[in-house]
Amino acid sequence: MKLLQEKLAKYDLLQQAREAKEAGIYPYFRPIESDQDTEVIIYGKKVLMFGSNAYLGLTNHPKVKEAAIEATRKYGSGCAGSRYLNGTLDLHIQLEKRLAEFVGKDDVIIYPTGFQVNLGVVSCLTGREDYILWDELDHASIIEGHRLSYSTKLKYRHNDMDSLEKQLQKCGENKIKLIVVDGVFSMEGDIVKLTEIVQLAKKYNATVMVDEAHGIGVLGRQGRGTCDHFGVTDDVDLIMGTFSKSLASIGGFIASDYEVINYLRHYSRPYMFSASSTPAATAAASAALDIMISEPERIEHLWKLTHYALDGFRRMGCEIGHTETPIIPLFIRDNSLTFLIVKELFEAGIFVNPVVAPAVAPQDTLIRFSLIATHTFEQLDFAMNTIQDIFIKHHLLNK
């Protein structure tokens, strides 16, 4: 075996994967053989989907699919180049203008994925003498972005404003201080203390960037996100969003003032040197935005399901942390047991996602249970009753 392969084979995560496969409880890369809906087919078996980020249930909406098909007919399957050169379509510009108006900023640019947005923005906005401050539970894309930056990185405790202020006090007075934070935390489901962050940013002359990946389509007027929810859009300097959740596509965007966006157009390498979003993905996101705005009942139903589920899991005795959103963590606090329960739920007809180390600390492993606006209360009741039976079996309910 070559040295590279020998080294990689020793990684703990790969050893855990091998052990899980040998035990028949490996839960990843399960191939879906149908469209993404509240019910999917995997290995020929119908299961209820409670592991999707499609919060508004638009991935198989006829208008979204038709928009993608028509865009492919008109523009072809791809752009064969970056936005910087030959890869800009009128579709891209139209959607950017719509998104800027929707989230309340001057301008927007679109990246091929949401991950690339954070990678491309966080890595290039600040210099060697500046600072990036980040919540310890920020998304991996934010972490990868600041790793590429030459700035000083200061981590603060999750949603802890005292911790954030102490880190701000370490920063040079006349240096850029970029606070980057999730609006809705993707695994725990809790909401950022954005009003307090904005107050601290004003006190210390800091810049605020909010990742709205799990906020758009869920919070705020017509799904405008966390910044709108708290009424602080004008006080937040950069708003990031993805297409792969509520907007039923693939891609992402950053919204800000004209100066910031113009800088990113010419300095953000993942934007400049990546092939641009496909016509189909761009048109699908635009169609999903239309539906999100015109059908507010989707968000209303999503929140009815959310309150029902949160109340039900708490009454059941599940440990669900501080979630307030359609993302509901069911804490297991054991890697192997998390895998086993995911398998048992799948066999009972429920698809959920395991979240284990290193994505979270080993003592914080959980099942991520997420809701879609097209779920019915009957489907939710079935899932919750099934979870209750399996959790009782494994002595996981606090009663």
Side-chain angles (χ1 to χ4, degrees), residues 190-216:
D190 53 339
I191 301 172
V192 65
K193 295 179 179 178
L194 193 53
T195 302
E196 291 92 331
I197 287 178
V198 164
Q199 291 170 349
L200 286 173
K202 290 179 179 179
K203 181 177 178 180
Y204 291 92
N205 193 25
T207 299
V208 179
M209 174 178 167
V210 177
D211 178 334
E212 290 279 23
H214 299 272
I216 287 177

Side-chain angles (χ1 to χ4, degrees), residues 148-208:
L148 292 178
S149 172
Y150 293 113
S151 303
T152 300
K153 298 92 174 179
L154 299 172
K155 178 173 67 174
Y156 63 92
R157 291 191 297 273
H158 176 52
N159 246 350
D160 186 326
M161 297 302 102
D162 290 336
S163 177
L164 173 57
E165 183 161 22
K166 287 176 182 176
Q167 297 291 50
L168 283 165
Q169 290 168 348
K170 297 177 182 178
C171 301
E173 184 176 353
N174 296 316
K175 304 302 180 183
I176 296 170
K177 297 170 278 290
L178 177 64
I179 304 170
V180 190
V181 68
D182 287 11
V184 175
F185 291 91
S186 59
M187 296 301 158
E188 293 75 16
D190 53 339
I191 301 172
V192 65
K193 295 179 179 178
L194 193 53
T195 302
E196 291 92 331
I197 287 178
V198 164
Q199 291 170 349
L200 286 173
K202 290 179 179 179
K203 181 177 178 180
Y204 291 92
N205 193 25
T207 299
V208 179

Side-chain angles (χ1 to χ4, degrees), residues 21 55 190 225 311 336 361:
K21 287 178 181 178
Y55 300 115
D190 53 339
D311 290 344
S336 297

Side-chain angles (χ1 to χ4, degrees), residues 130-141:
D130 300 322
Y131 301 85
I132 298 174
L133 300 99
W134 59 287
D135 188 294
E136 64 182 347
L137 295 187
D138 274 352
H139 190 265
S141 56

Side-chain angles (χ1 to χ4, degrees), residues 115 126 224:
F115 197 103
T126 56
R224 283 176 168 83

